[in-house]
Amino acid sequence: MSQILWFRRDLRITDSAILSNAKHKVLPIFIFDKNILKALPKDDKRVTFIYKSVLDLKNRLKSIGLDLAIFYDEPINVFKNLKERGFDEVLCSIDFDNYAKKRDKEIEKILPMKRFIDSFILNPLEHLKSDNTPYKVFTPFYKSLNIISKSKSIETFKRNENLEKVDFDYDFIPSLKELGFEEQRQESFLQKDGIILLDEFIEKIENYKEDRDFFYKDASSKLSVHLRFGLISAKEVFNYLKSFDNIDCEFFIRELFWREFYNYILFHFPKSEIENFNNIEIEWNDNEEDFQKWCDGKTGIPIIDAAMKNLNETGMMHNRLRMVVASFLTKNLFIDWKKGEKYFALKLLDYEASSNIGSWQWSASTGADASPYFRVFNPYIQSKKFDKEGIFIKTVFPELKHIDSKLFHTENGVSSNLFVEYPKSIVDISLSRKQAIEKFKRARNENL
Ligand SMILES: Cc1cc2nc3c(=O)[nH]c(=O)nc-3n(C[C@H](O)[C@H](O)[C@H](O)COP(=O)(O)OP(=O)(O)OC[C@H]3O[C@@H](n4cnc5c(N)ncnc54)[C@H](O)[C@@H]3O)c2cc1C
């Protein structure tokens, strides 16, 4: 019996379901999937990150006597070929993405697949309400998980140390260029191991609850990209933090379970990818020009523009800023959350369909356990509250470094300064807020 160990979004050798469940002779593989890659721009930052992580994984597998065969093809072709070469089955972790589900169905017609829950802590099929229906609200969902979230540790997968690699051509390593991509500059935190990021975070965790919203501070864990591609598992993060007796990590653990919650929601309500979860019908604005200005960071509102410019340049955005730009797009510009979700999907290094869809629906007040529709972030109040001195804005727009930071927090403040070229706001914040609330009331059939 020889098994194929298909690494996909679990690029690690610790707490690895497939390395734990595999037996005897194995062929670990990674496929640079042509179907996925062909849809991406050649400067996609994620591909550089994945590429380096795959090479890292290859080295780690070598250090335990295995190796990684790398393919650049469509998965169907790879598995047809491997079947002909006598492989019996495929082991992999479950990928809940829509494309992945369809792809796996096709692969299963070629070779039997054994799939394991490995990218998340919870199996979404479990943890239902007492009436056997899924939770829709985070707090009761989280409370029901007390036994897990309050425990000292969660069992991880132990590697089977008796695995042997099959003879194979392990030498093929396509270059990024051969894959059709240009190497992109990586932020320094992306080059660090997940465990190093955790170590650094331990120093900050005491202030996490208070500081995490101040987007000019470096107060959060920055683990989302590593979690997304499985360089570290959520269980490992959990266990590591819980191993310190003198550290209160409860608030952070709760955040980690938002990731679980959104995965659970998308699993049970797959239509929420394309429909408003709460079923309200909204006539969104189709203003393409406004949408483009939002994407390009040219709305005339410094906090929005800095957040979007920074996203376009780095592939990252602070959580508070994600909430602010999402509220602005869906409430002030009244543009469909799906357009914002798609744009984030294109740009975010940590793009995770479930978290992104769930968070966008939350921001648009259309989701499970959503923000109330009358909660519209005022971007000027947000920047004053969480970046009073305009530190983040000035970092992104060095040309504004001499501007009095008060002007960042006033409508058309910066554009009123004759010495800089900065656009006027594309929308009146209080008027658009009022109009959005009225439109929401109408959509919900509430009295105006
Ligand atoms: C509109 C919008 C879109 C988002 N899209 C994504 C996405 O595509 N991928 C993604 O991983 N996160 C997404 N988030 C959640 C959150 O912004 C990021 O997880 C966080 O900014 C990552 O930084 P961090 O690792 O330093 O977070 P920390 O504050 O250190 O949190 C630790 C981990 O908990 C999880 N987490 C924290 N907050 C959330 C949350 N609200 N929802 C789900 N998981 C959370 C993440 O895995 C994160 O890495 C989105 C939020 C919003 C408002």
Side-chain angles (χ1 to χ4, degrees):
M1 153 88 64
S2 43
Q3 298 174 317
I4 302 161
L5 310 185
W6 186 10
F7 287 89
R8 302 158 357 150
R9 45 169 303 166
D10 48 351
L11 306 177
R12 62 177 183 276
I13 62 166
T14 51
D15 188 24
S16 161
I18 53 180
L19 289 175
S20 169
N21 285 284
K23 294 201 171 57
H24 317 301
K25 294 208 146 205
V26 295
L27 175 70
I29 68 165
F30 182 87
I31 306 171
F32 283 105
D33 183 343
K34 282 191 174 167
N35 293 325
I36 297 178
L37 295 187
K38 72 181 177 205
L40 302 175
K42 61 179 187 290
D43 61 352
D44 191 292
K45 293 182 175 49
R46 286 166 293 204
V47 182
T48 298
F49 182 77
I50 297 168
Y51 184 79
K52 294 196 167 163
S53 305
V54 168
L55 297 193
D56 240 27
L57 174 67
K58 187 173 173 68
N59 284 334
R60 282 172 211 245
L61 284 166
K62 278 183 174 172
S63 73
I64 56 167
L66 300 174
D67 206 332
L68 186 70
I70 299 176
F71 297 86
Y72 172 42
D73 206 335
E74 293 178 12
I76 287 207
N77 297 337
V78 173
F79 288 103
K80 278 186 183 158
N81 183 279
L82 292 176
K83 186 184 179 173
E84 275 171 23
R85 295 174 71 162
F87 288 93
D88 306 293
E89 62 177 3
V90 184
L91 271 60
C92 58
S93 71
I94 296 184
D95 191 333
F96 294 102
D97 274 10
N98 263 345
Y99 165 73
K101 282 194 274 192
K102 279 188 215 137
R103 176 194 58 195
D104 288 359
K105 256 195 188 156
E106 294 303 309
I107 303 301
E108 246 167 347
K109 291 181 193 158
I110 304 170
L111 275 170
M113 285 177 101
K114 276 193 190 146
R115 276 173 286 186
F116 307 92
I117 301 274
D118 197 10
S119 306
F120 292 88
I121 296 172
L122 306 176
N123 180 343
L125 280 171
E126 296 166 3
H127 317 292
L128 300 174
K129 290 193 292 186
S130 52
D131 63 0
N132 263 340
T133 61
Y135 287 93
K136 292 181 180 173
V137 178
F138 178 76
T139 306
F141 165 80
Y142 188 55
K143 272 195 184 146
S144 79
L145 301 168
N146 258 348
I147 192 142
I148 304 175
S149 60
K150 302 272 182 263
S151 65
K152 263 313 255 178
S153 71
I154 303 174
E155 196 177 352
T156 52
F157 291 105
K158 302 278 168 294
R159 179 162 52 85
N160 176 354
E161 298 198 358
N162 299 314
L163 299 177
E164 251 181 75
K165 66 174 178 190
V166 296
D167 284 338
F168 204 83
D169 171 16
Y170 292 102
D171 290 339
F172 174 67
I173 304 178
S175 66
L176 254 181
K177 203 167 162 212
E178 281 160 345
L179 297 175
F181 292 86
E182 290 162 357
E183 182 165 355
Q184 299 298 301
R185 196 182 67 79
Q186 300 270 286
E187 298 288 307
S188 59
F189 77 92
L190 291 172
Q191 293 158 24
K192 295 180 183 172
D193 269 4
I195 202 74
I196 305 280
L197 291 179
L198 259 177
D199 260 343
E200 291 176 358
F201 181 57
I202 284 290
E203 306 293 318
K204 307 182 264 181
I205 195 164
E206 210 183 319
N207 299 322
Y208 175 72
K209 193 172 172 187
E210 287 72 38
D211 283 358
R212 63 192 281 270
D213 284 323
F214 293 87
F215 48 85
Y216 70 91
K217 290 189 183 177
D218 176 14
S220 67
S221 71
K222 295 189 285 203
L223 276 165
S224 54
V225 189
H226 290 64
L227 283 167
R228 168 61 182 88
F229 296 107
L231 274 68
I232 190 164
S233 76
K235 279 186 276 171
E236 289 178 304
V237 174
F238 182 99
N239 291 348
Y240 183 83
L241 294 175
K242 291 273 185 152
S243 70
F244 294 87
D245 286 331
N246 55 342
I247 281 177
D248 177 6
C249 55
E250 295 311 320
F251 190 79
F252 179 84
I253 297 290
R254 197 171 186 275
E255 291 305 303
L256 215 49
F257 275 84
W258 271 101
R259 179 174 181 267
E260 299 292 326
F261 178 64
Y262 284 138
N263 186 54
Y264 175 94
I265 290 288
L266 189 60
F267 177 85
H268 288 290
F269 306 98
K271 279 196 178 156
S272 63
E273 180 172 358
I274 41 167
E275 286 174 10
N276 293 340
F277 185 92
N278 62 8
N279 290 324
I280 63 169
E281 276 184 36
I282 298 177
E283 264 189 54
W284 300 106
N285 256 342
D286 283 337
N287 192 323
E288 225 8 78
E289 203 181 314
D290 280 358
F291 177 63
Q292 206 45 54
K293 286 190 171 155
W294 176 84
C295 297
D296 296 341
K298 296 201 165 133
T299 65
I301 299 164
I303 183 180
I304 305 284
D305 294 347
M308 295 305 291
K309 181 166 181 258
N310 193 53
L311 170 69
N312 293 334
E313 285 170 359
T314 66
M316 288 307 295
M317 193 187 287
H318 187 280
N319 181 57
R320 168 75 28 188
L321 291 172
R322 293 185 206 206
M323 294 197 287
V324 175
V325 301
S327 168
F328 178 76
L329 186 78
T330 55
K331 306 277 175 67
N332 299 103
L333 298 183
F334 216 68
I335 288 176
D336 193 345
W337 62 266
K338 290 193 250 4
K339 292 183 84 169
E341 195 277 330
K342 270 213 182 82
Y343 191 71
F344 269 27
L346 194 67
K347 296 285 170 182
L348 277 179
L349 276 164
D350 65 13
Y351 171 65
E352 177 84 74
S354 52
S355 293
N356 202 45
I357 291 164
S359 302
W360 270 96
Q361 291 238 33
W362 179 91
S363 298
S365 304
T366 58
D369 200 3
S371 153
Y373 68 89
F374 44 83
R375 184 170 179 205
V376 182
F377 283 106
N378 179 315
Y380 299 106
I381 294 178
Q382 291 291 310
S383 64
K384 186 172 178 189
K385 196 164 167 195
F386 297 113
D387 185 19
K388 195 164 182 224
E389 305 303 324
I391 294 170
F392 171 74
I393 295 172
K394 288 183 180 187
T395 313
V396 181
F397 293 118
E399 64 274 27
L400 301 183
K401 69 173 185 270
H402 298 301
I403 292 277
D404 178 351
S405 60
K406 282 195 196 105
L407 296 180
F408 295 140
H409 319 311
T410 348
E411 197 151 337
N412 290 321
V414 181
S415 60
S416 69
N417 183 311
L418 299 176
F419 299 101
V420 288
E421 231 178 83
Y422 191 72
K424 272 192 175 334
S425 170
I426 58 172
V427 73
D428 179 313
I429 289 297
S430 59
L431 180 65
S432 57
R433 173 184 180 274
K434 217 169 134 227
Q435 287 169 342
I437 292 174
E438 281 164 9
K439 285 181 194 163
F440 265 95
K441 277 189 179 166
R442 215 168 287 136
R444 294 161 57 99
N445 291 323
E446 285 179 17
N447 293 336
L448 287 173

